[in-house]
Amino acid sequence: MKKLTLACITLPLLLLSTLSCDRGKAADTVNGITTTETEKADSIEKKAVQTIDTVDFNKRMIALSNNDTTGRWPVKAPYPLPGALLPYNRIIAYYGNLYSTRMGILGEIPRKEMLAKLQGEVAKWQAADSTVKAIPALHYIAVTAQGAPGKNNMHRLRMPFKQIDTVISWAKPINALVFLDIQVGHSTVKAEVAELEKYLSMPNVHLGIDPEFSMKNGERPGSKIGHFTAADINDAITILADIVRKNKLTPKVLVIHRFTQGMVKNYKEIKTVPEVQIVMDMDGFGSKVLKKDSYVSYIYREPVQFAGFKLFYKNDNKKDWKMYSPEELVKFTPKPIYIQYQ
């Protein structure tokens, strides 16, 4: 199974080919967050303490694992900071780039039509699983891998910030999250994520990284499937955690695309921290049998923290194939908590 990896982006005056957390007394629990009242001791006022309701969190994680009995799921990890999106919400995302109609639904059809269609998908997911709130997201490819080396010889193109601003403005009317996705080419996760810090410092902006186009040995992106090591992924986690602490934010979500064994190396060494929630997203198109097999092989059997699943409007509906429905996917072990449509 292989993703659609080639697309063309036309920029003004330039034609480019792109690859595509002990509850105290008098504590209240609201939306998974436990707040302990301010106490006074020896006339010194203590600051209010906020932690998550761990009992509720654990119940939700067990439900998300579909009561897996192997011990793989739910994954043992530090409790998140208060305000965490997962597992309290299921994120339904539209993926793409505004310069291309071939890289995904985000950019393929007009804005109003796209947002209405996304809200329709959110409603379907809410109906399929009423125990988890479904929320919308726009997942925008902010750095695209390139077949040509470019002036910096990095085989990657950073999209103009004005386009990121546009996507963020589009998200506001429907209260959607925004994900910025990077295809590093010959660059590094650390270098590309650092360039997006001003956006990642916004409460509703999160990150996606794509191993497919990470070429470690100088190959042209698209000529073979690339990979990330745990160290690459940990670089992103470190930067995001620092941003969360520095700006006193709720946890960031990090989405990592995957559809082969080799795309993620040393998965057991990927660190988990309270500031970042990691989603391993089962990417790739194909038949239902093939996609489920890939999900079992690369997501279920190699657990990191949370699971995602990608759906292709066109490429999952070719020949005798048919795209998975929300009702079918919520029966998977574990249940995917992040859903991406391309």
Side-chain angles (χ1 to χ4, degrees):
M1 175 170 58
K2 187 176 181 181
K3 293 200 311 182
L4 180 65
T5 60
L6 296 174
C8 289
I9 291 183
T10 303
L11 291 173
L13 306 179
L14 185 61
L15 183 64
L16 299 152
S17 79
T18 174
L19 312 173
S20 285
C21 175
D22 291 324
R23 296 184 63 180
K25 296 179 180 179
D28 298 317
T29 302
V30 182
N31 293 330
I33 299 176
T34 300
T35 60
T36 306
E37 285 186 345
T38 298
E39 300 173 352
K40 290 185 178 180
D42 299 324
S43 300
I44 299 175
E45 188 176 89
K46 295 181 179 180
K47 291 182 179 180
V49 178
Q50 283 195 328
T51 61
I52 70 164
D53 181 341
T54 57
V55 173
D56 177 64
F57 181 87
N58 292 340
K59 286 181 179 178
R60 289 175 181 273
M61 292 298 287
I62 290 170
L64 204 57
S65 74
N66 257 345
N67 297 301
D68 179 52
T69 59
T70 67
R72 290 188 177 96
W73 298 87
V75 178
K76 295 176 178 62
Y79 287 113
L81 296 178
L85 287 165
L86 309 177
Y88 310 102
N89 302 277
R90 175 172 282 112
I91 301 167
I92 314 301
Y94 267 11
Y95 171 95
N97 181 284
L98 302 189
Y99 285 137
S100 173
T101 59
R102 297 176 56 194
M103 297 182 75
I105 189 70
L106 175 59
E108 182 178 352
I109 61 178
R111 174 181 58 87
K112 288 185 179 180
E113 183 183 347
M114 181 270 296
L115 293 177
K117 189 175 178 69
L118 172 56
Q119 289 177 293
E121 298 292 2
V122 171
K124 290 177 186 177
W125 277 95
Q126 192 64 74
D129 184 2
S130 62
T131 67
V132 181
K133 182 181 179 180
I135 59 175
L138 300 180
H139 195 122
Y140 163 70
I141 312 167
V143 181
T144 64
Q146 301 288 304
K151 63 180 181 180
N152 294 317
N153 203 36
M154 287 293 180
H155 285 267
R156 61 96 177 94
L157 179 66
R158 295 170 178 166
M159 296 295 105
F161 283 173
K162 66 180 181 180
Q163 196 181 100
I164 299 178
D165 295 335
T166 296
V167 174
I168 291 174
S169 71
W170 286 9
K172 286 180 181 178
I174 62 169
N175 198 28
L177 303 174
V178 172
F179 284 80
L180 301 180
D181 203 271
I182 59 174
Q183 302 172 355
V184 301
H186 291 187
S187 185
T188 65
V189 170
K190 185 182 293 186
E192 298 308 319
V193 176
E195 287 293 315
L196 297 171
E197 181 172 353
K198 77 171 186 177
Y199 289 107
L200 294 170
S201 297
M202 298 177 180
N204 67 322
V205 179
H206 303 268
L207 180 66
I209 56 177
D210 197 341
E212 181 181 357
F213 304 106
S214 171
M215 318 312 293
K216 302 293 191 183
N217 299 307
E219 307 94 340
R220 179 180 58 81
S223 64
K224 61 179 290 187
I225 296 171
H227 74 272
F228 283 148
T229 63
D232 293 320
I233 295 167
N234 287 341
D235 282 341
I237 293 168
T238 296
I239 295 173
L240 289 176
D242 287 344
I243 289 172
V244 168
R245 289 191 293 265
K246 183 167 64 176
N247 295 282
K248 296 179 173 58
L249 301 173
T250 54
K252 291 293 180 181
V253 178
L254 171 63
V255 173
I256 305 156
H257 305 286
R258 187 179 192 183
F259 59 92
T260 70
Q261 183 79 39
M263 287 176 72
V264 176
K265 311 285 189 183
N266 314 112
Y267 80 94
K268 291 182 180 179
E269 296 176 20
I270 297 172
K271 64 182 180 180
T272 51
V273 298
E275 297 88 357
V276 182
Q277 300 193 288
I278 307 164
V279 175
M280 197 63 70
D281 180 39
M282 208 300 290
D283 206 333
F285 59 81
S287 67
K288 286 184 175 181
V289 172
L290 182 56
K291 294 191 71 159
K292 185 173 185 178
D293 181 67
S294 294
Y295 189 81
V296 170
S297 297
Y298 314 133
I299 307 299
Y300 171 74
R301 290 180 183 159
E302 297 196 357
V304 175
Q305 193 171 23
F306 293 96
F309 201 95
K310 188 165 183 175
L311 296 164
F312 292 76
Y313 281 118
K314 295 178 181 178
N315 292 324
D316 281 347
N317 286 305
K318 286 185 174 180
K319 304 175 183 178
D320 296 325
W321 303 345
K322 188 175 180 182
M323 191 170 73
Y324 270 112
S325 69
E327 290 78 10
E328 291 172 318
L329 288 176
V330 295
K331 294 177 183 177
F332 277 29
T333 300
K335 298 178 184 179
I337 197 71
Y338 169 90
I339 306 296
Q340 183 180 99
Y341 288 87
Q342 180 166 332

